Amino acid sequence: MEELIGTQKPTHRIPDPAQAIATLEGVVPGLVALRREEPAVFGWEAAEVAVGTRLPSDFKALAEWYPAFELDDFLGVFVPRPGEWLDLAPTVTRAEELITTAPEDAPRG
């Protein structure tokens, strides 16, 4: 397991949210078909107060342009629906369930 840690460290970060989304759309077949026609509007300040931390700008951009989606039964990308930030308890509970039910050898964030 130790030998994998170095391979999972990103070698490049895309700081511009629009460029990050464009890059993701370029490498994930069919993703563009899920893109909203207009970005969803979220109350990000209230959401950040509710979760107790500032949310990454690329996550916010992704949530505004895309609904939640799953990549090949491997990776779930969970984003709130507009208005859902008002009650984040179900999302937090689900994240905690996923963490506690993960196999022992699964990488932990």
Side-chain angles (χ1 to χ4, degrees), residues 23 25-26 37 41-42 45 49 57 67 75 85-86 90 94 97 102:
T23 301
E25 290 171 341
E37 290 184 24
V41 177
F42 292 92
E45 288 181 22
V49 167
S57 58
L75 174 68
W85 58 268
L86 295 172
R94 179 68 179 133
E97 288 171 3

Side-chain angles (χ1 to χ4, degrees), residues 49-70:
V49 167
V51 297
T53 191
R54 186 177 165 130
L55 298 168
S57 58
D58 52 354
F59 170 78
K60 291 190 271 189
L62 185 67
E64 290 167 358
W65 284 107
Y66 283 94
F69 59 91
E70 191 171 300

Side-chain angles (χ1 to χ4, degrees), residues 10-42:
T11 58
H12 179 71
R13 173 142 166 62
I14 303 171
D16 177 56
Q19 184 183 2
I21 289 176
T23 301
L24 183 65
E25 290 171 341
V27 298
V28 178
L31 184 61
V32 175
L34 300 176
R35 188 178 175 111
R36 294 181 173 107
E37 290 184 24
E38 297 288 326
V41 177
F42 292 92

